[in-house]
């Protein structure tokens, strides 16, 4: 079963000081056109499938949020993903740390994406815009630290480390 399963046109979720763990499917599964999430001081961990799966677009604001040790992707968004991340950890997931089916807009301060089995972060859409400040993307086993495969992508990296990944540190194609 899912830890939390929601199905609607628009969903809003707020998590604070919470843990969703050890479910047979996703920790959080949402099927909606748009999803707004605000998460702080919380954990999604040890679920058999994805930590968070959104069938739609996700707007996420998070701080001190950990997605760790899930069986598949840490966060999986089928459409666009707009993410403001502060002091978050995406680690040791069974596939990618973060998977985005379309455009990724990420502004991250002190984000750790480490030890995921495949890529740290992968986005398939064009016009992705990624800003990393004091971030670490490393030891993602067989993939890239970050892969942006659509065209017309932008990246701004300051005081960050992208190292020791199984593939490229950054792959923008």
């Amino acid at each position: 079963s899912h830890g939390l399963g929601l199905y609607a046109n628009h969903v809003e979720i707020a998590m604070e000081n919470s843990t969703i763990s050890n479910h047979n499917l996703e920790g959080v599964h949402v099927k909606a056109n748009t999803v707004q999430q605000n998460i702080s001081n919380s954990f999604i961990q040890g679920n058999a499938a994805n930590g968070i799966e959104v069938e739609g677009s996700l707007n996420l604001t998070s701080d001190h949020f950990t997605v760790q040790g899930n069986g598949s992707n840490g966060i999986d968004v089928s459409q666009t993903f707009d993410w403001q991340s502060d002091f978050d950890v995406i680690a040791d997931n069974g596939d990618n740390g973060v998977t985005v089916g379309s455009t990724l807009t990420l502004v991250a301060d002190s984000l750790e994406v480490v030890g995921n089995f495949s890529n740290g972060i992968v986005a398939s859409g064009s016009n992705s815009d990624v800003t990393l400040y004091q971030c670490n993307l490393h030891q993602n086993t067989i993939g890239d630290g970050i892969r942006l495969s659509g065209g017309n992508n932008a990246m701004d990296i300051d005081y960050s480390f992208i190292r020791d990944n199984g593939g490229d540190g950054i792959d923008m194609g």
Side-chain angles (χ1 to χ4, degrees), residues 104-133:
L104 169 66
T105 302
L106 170 61
V107 177
D109 182 349
S110 304
L111 171 66
E112 300 277 336
V113 182
V114 300
N116 298 290
F117 183 71
S118 191
N119 300 290
I121 298 172
V122 59
S124 300
S126 297
N127 302 312
S128 289
D129 189 355
V130 174
T131 301
L132 303 175
Y133 179 74

Side-chain angles (χ1 to χ4, degrees), residues 137-141 143 162-167 169:
L137 284 79
H138 62 92
Q139 296 175 336
N140 296 292
T141 308
I162 301 174
R163 60 183 175 79
D164 299 326
N165 295 288

Side-chain angles (χ1 to χ4, degrees), residues 157-168:
I157 303 171
D158 294 304
Y159 304 104
S160 296
F161 294 96
I162 301 174
R163 60 183 175 79
D164 299 326
N165 295 288
D168 297 319

Side-chain angles (χ1 to χ4, degrees), residues 68-148:
Q68 184 170 14
N70 296 288
S72 192
N73 299 308
I75 300 173
D76 188 330
V77 179
S78 69
Q79 298 297 317
T80 62
F81 186 16
D82 187 353
W83 185 16
Q84 172 68 48
S85 169
D86 294 311
F87 300 95
D88 297 329
V89 176
I90 311 295
D92 303 320
N93 295 289
D95 197 1
N96 297 310
V98 177
T99 300
V100 183
S102 187
T103 302
L104 169 66
T105 302
L106 170 61
V107 177
D109 182 349
S110 304
L111 171 66
E112 300 277 336
V113 182
V114 300
N116 298 290
F117 183 71
S118 191
N119 300 290
I121 298 172
V122 59
S124 300
S126 297
N127 302 312
S128 289
D129 189 355
V130 174
T131 301
L132 303 175
Y133 179 74
Q134 298 183 128
C135 297
N136 287 300
L137 284 79
H138 62 92
Q139 296 175 336
N140 296 292
T141 308
I142 64 169
D144 303 322
I146 186 165
R147 176 184 292 173
L148 304 176

